[in-house]
Amino acid sequence: MLSPFRLDLLGKYLCYAIVAVGISLAWGRGGMLTLGQGVFFGLGGYAMGMHLKLQDGELPDFMSWSGVEELPLLWKPFANPVFALAMVIVLPVLVATLLGLLVFRQRVRGAYFAVLSQALAAAFVILLIGQQGLTGGTNGLTNFQYFFGLDLYEDADRRILYLVTALILGASYLSVRQLVRSRYGQLLVAIRDGEDRVRFLGYDPALVKTVAFAVSAGLAGIAGALFVPLVGLLSPANLGIVASLELLVGVAIGGRYSLAGAVAGALLFNYAKTIFSEQWPDGWLYVQGALFVAVMVWAPRGLAGLSHQFRDALSSRRKVEVQA
Amino acid sequence: MGTLNQLVIGASIGAVLLLAALGLTFTFGQMGVINMAHGEFIMAGAYTAYVLQPLAGDQAVIVALPVAFAVGGVLGLILERLIIRRFYGRPLDTLLLTFGISLILQQAARDIFGAPNVQVDAPGWLTGGVDLAGVRIAYNRLFILVLAIGCVVAISLYLSKLRQGRRMRAVMQNRQLAAVSGVATGRVDQATFFIGSGLAGVAGVALTLIGPVGPTLGTAYIVDAFLVVVAGGLGQLKGAVIAAFVLGVLNSFVEFWTANGASFAKVVVFAVIIAFLQFRPQGMFVLKSRALT
């Protein structure tokens, strides 16, 4: 049995792994390099966090600190658990669908899309920090006591929460795997590799890509909602440009084209991050930077793709690289 | 009066954006490299001015301009030669790769210069300002504006008058055709990366005039600089100039109009760019080509 402290960390990694499943779908299968997953993670997380803050029926603590006396209108519906749970998925999916349709319809893609998604993350974080009285500003939302009847300070109750998180990770892995193997999944890969050809065959690539992007956003939202009770806080620092990129690194290391690789990579990366930050805090950025470079230079398919790369090298066939 | 004042502030934001984006638009436009480390080259330029301060006294900023250009350029050249060269045709991978580099450079700056911000003193003749139609324009802001205009003029002369620059345009417009016409595209790529990164160094020196210097200086500007490139069109000098100033002015006006302005400005700018891309998906100016887009 893991100590409660390690179990806490494991729960956090599981959340990141759920995000990784979504990224693997959007980036690995769909070729959409999304640098703004933190936005969707945050939307889901804040929807859940707002509900948890309202459970005791009092005004959230940070509001009285910043001089807000009455519950803002935006917060009121989140007192309803069904509404809050729905918003965990609806908000990120809605934002992703809107952005996806607007952007993909105009055939904005590749690097342009990556830059735009990153700008979205930057704007989102600045907005959260600026609206101190509404969002808790830089500190974000903290101090949660209960999660749907579970006491978050009880080890036994926390274990149930991990179990739920692990189950949701399993369920999202299986459903995305099913999605990838379906006709839709094949279409998505076809669009990644030759968008114009697929368009000439009569499909609408914008729609197909938007669906994948929205699914990945929904998964990030769910992960964010689980992150809040597991970790006990959610602040803009968990959602910004750097945080969004860190969500991606695990997937890159594990292997973007492999769903299992993405999950394993996210778990491994975040575990390594914890270990290194404990032992050698100043050095972690060097290690992380070097990891990026090493993976991109020597193993663009990630760890899961190493055998593939090895096979290619053996048969010495000319590699036909997938153009991202 | 209020409007004019916001215009001036907007123009000075725009000048900073333009300096940060100038180099990017060429490395992104010609080579398809999304250089996230560009922000750290800006940071390196700013620290160059800081290092030169004990030697050059309060004229450090002026002395630093050419030195920072060389520092940024050499850093960029090393990066291009060692790593980016292997990545042509994989733009999205260069993004992650150079992000790794930028993390390393940030931590290196922290280890060398320390985590707290440092200050570079502006030359004496840049303190104060001039009153124009009731609006006070600080000399340091004016200096940045002049510097940005100077850089734009220098680049456009380079692109139109010099053989080197014409080769660069040729590679940007059609790499294969340039190659079969005898242009050594690899050489041109190196020159582009040197100049683009050097401009980042110059931008860094300019930033020391309006704020403190820290290891994360570059990250604050890199996203906005990329938006300028996207809105202006790849490799388009004209587009970058217009986009930078429009975004700068937009920023200053939104901050002025809304009560809690600063936090909404970025969201509005983002929405405007998405809306703009509905009409011009490839930015303001586009290289005409028959290739499928």
Side-chain angles (χ1 to χ4, degrees):
Chain A
M1 211 66 204
L2 288 163
S3 74
F5 174 67
R6 292 286 156 195
L7 201 59
D8 270 6
L9 290 174
L10 182 66
K12 188 159 105 174
Y13 305 157
L14 291 178
C15 292
Y16 289 139
I18 297 176
V19 183
V21 171
I23 291 179
S24 172
L25 176 70
W27 182 33
R29 301 285 153 170
M32 293 166 274
L33 180 58
T34 149
L35 302 179
Q37 284 311 89
V39 174
F40 309 122
F41 191 77
L43 285 172
Y46 271 84
M48 177 61 78
M50 284 158 84
H51 174 65
L52 297 188
K53 291 260 23 132
L54 292 176
Q55 275 187 334
D56 52 6
E58 285 171 34
L59 198 66
D61 41 13
F62 69 86
M63 285 191 185
S64 32
W65 302 336
S66 43
V68 178
E69 273 148 25
E70 207 189 326
L71 195 64
L73 200 62
L74 181 68
W75 274 67
K76 281 188 180 145
F78 284 93
N80 181 334
V82 179
F83 179 83
L85 279 181
M87 282 303 122
V88 161
I89 297 176
V90 170
L91 278 179
V93 168
L94 202 69
V95 172
T97 308
L98 198 69
L99 183 67
L101 283 179
L102 283 174
V103 167
F104 297 138
R105 276 212 181 284
Q106 298 304 322
R107 304 182 196 180
V108 173
R109 58 194 175 206
Y112 272 55
F113 173 74
V115 168
L116 287 176
S117 66
Q118 187 167 47
L120 180 68
F124 181 64
V125 165
I126 290 173
L127 188 66
L128 282 178
I129 293 175
Q131 304 299 314
Q132 178 95 30
L134 209 57
T135 61
T138 322
N139 298 327
L141 304 178
T142 50
N143 295 332
F144 306 106
Q145 173 80 50
Y146 297 105
F147 177 76
F148 295 98
L150 295 178
D151 187 339
L152 293 176
Y153 288 91
E154 280 295 326
D155 284 345
D157 283 11
R158 294 192 68 94
R159 242 172 248 135
I160 298 177
L161 192 55
Y162 302 123
L163 211 60
V164 171
T165 310
L167 282 177
I168 291 181
L169 172 61
S172 35
Y173 174 80
L174 288 178
S175 24
V176 169
R177 196 178 66 159
Q178 210 51 42
L179 192 64
V180 163
R181 288 180 177 177
S182 68
R183 268 175 60 89
Y184 169 82
Q186 300 201 322
L187 194 56
L188 189 63
V189 171
I191 289 171
R192 176 192 74 192
D193 295 344
E195 188 166 330
D196 293 312
R197 296 189 195 185
V198 177
R199 180 177 292 115
F200 296 152
L201 288 173
Y203 294 99
D204 181 2
L207 221 55
V208 177
K209 284 166 87 173
T210 303
V211 169
F213 186 43
V215 170
S216 84
L219 286 173
I222 295 172
L226 290 165
F227 183 90
V228 167
L230 276 170
V231 178
L233 78 126
L234 185 68
S235 76
N238 302 117
L239 318 172
I241 294 176
V242 174
S244 296
L245 268 157
E246 281 184 356
L247 293 172
L248 212 79
V249 200
V251 179
I253 293 172
R256 67 186 94 154
Y257 301 120
S258 150
L259 212 51
V263 171
L267 294 174
L268 254 175
F269 170 74
N270 285 295
Y271 179 67
K273 181 180 174 178
T274 312
I275 297 296
F276 260 101
S277 314
E278 279 172 8
Q279 304 290 330
W280 188 34
D282 289 341
W284 168 242
L285 279 179
Y286 287 123
V287 175
Q288 195 185 351
L291 262 178
F292 263 106
V293 176
V295 168
M296 284 299 139
V297 172
W298 288 298
R301 292 172 159 275
L303 295 179
L306 279 181
S307 64
H308 195 286
Q309 245 178 320
F310 189 61
R311 222 172 30 234
D312 273 1
L314 273 189
S315 62
S316 73
R317 257 181 315 184
R318 244 188 94 218
K319 254 194 299 183
V320 183
E321 264 300 330
V322 178
Q323 289 252 338
Chain B
M1 150 84 198
T3 313
L4 194 61
N5 199 23
Q6 293 308 310
L7 265 180
V8 170
I9 295 177
S12 94
I13 300 177
V16 171
L17 278 182
L18 180 59
L19 278 174
L22 263 184
L24 273 184
T25 187
F26 292 108
T27 49
F28 193 6
Q30 180 186 319
M31 293 136 88
V33 171
I34 311 175
N35 186 11
M36 293 294 289
H38 194 79
E40 275 56 47
F41 295 163
I42 295 178
M43 180 259 300
Y47 273 115
T48 304
Y50 172 69
V51 169
L52 288 174
Q53 191 157 244
L55 301 174
D58 73 342
Q59 300 303 316
V61 170
I62 304 302
V63 179
L65 282 176
V67 182
F69 184 82
V71 168
V74 168
L75 279 177
L77 205 56
I78 294 172
L79 180 62
E80 202 272 345
R81 282 288 86 191
L82 282 185
I83 309 176
I84 287 183
R85 197 159 53 105
R86 310 161 174 230
F87 279 79
Y88 290 134
R90 288 162 60 191
L92 293 187
D93 287 0
T94 63
L95 195 158
L96 296 178
L97 172 85
T98 51
F99 180 73
I101 306 272
S102 91
L103 287 182
I104 294 175
L105 289 177
Q106 266 177 38
Q107 187 59 35
R110 218 167 270 135
D111 286 345
I112 297 171
F113 300 104
N117 287 342
V118 297
Q119 193 76 41
V120 178
D121 298 323
W125 47 272
L126 275 183
T127 49
V130 61
D131 286 304
L132 199 83
V135 176
R136 182 134 183 104
I137 304 173
Y139 281 133
N140 55 2
R141 296 275 177 182
L142 206 59
F143 179 78
I144 293 176
L145 191 61
V146 171
L147 185 65
I149 294 171
C151 285
V152 170
V153 170
I155 290 176
S156 64
L157 284 179
Y158 175 79
L159 286 176
S160 58
K161 300 290 180 213
L162 290 183
R163 178 172 300 206
Q164 277 282 339
R166 287 201 295 267
R167 285 187 187 141
M168 189 169 140
R169 266 162 60 209
V171 174
M172 213 175 325
Q173 283 169 15
N174 192 327
R175 176 173 292 267
Q176 275 126 351
L177 200 54
V180 293
S181 313
V183 175
T185 55
R187 283 272 181 80
V188 175
D189 284 342
Q190 287 171 40
T192 305
F193 224 84
F194 180 80
I195 295 172
S197 309
L199 286 170
V202 172
V205 177
L207 287 178
T208 63
L209 289 173
I210 53 172
V213 180
T216 54
L217 177 74
T219 44
Y221 291 94
I222 190 78
V223 176
D224 287 339
F226 269 119
L227 284 183
V228 167
V229 176
V230 166
L234 284 187
Q236 299 290 331
L237 192 57
K238 245 189 306 180
V241 173
I242 298 174
F245 283 105
V246 169
L247 290 189
V249 170
L250 188 69
N251 237 310
S252 87
F253 272 94
V254 177
E255 285 188 20
F256 182 61
W257 281 330
T258 51
N260 197 349
S263 75
F264 277 112
K266 298 283 177 224
V267 179
V268 172
V269 166
F270 182 76
V272 167
I273 286 177
I274 295 286
F276 177 70
L277 291 179
Q278 301 305 305
F279 303 104
R280 295 203 159 250
Q282 299 194 310
M284 226 169 279
F285 298 101
V286 189
L287 277 177
K288 287 216 172 64
S289 128
R290 293 192 177 188
L292 269 172
T293 53

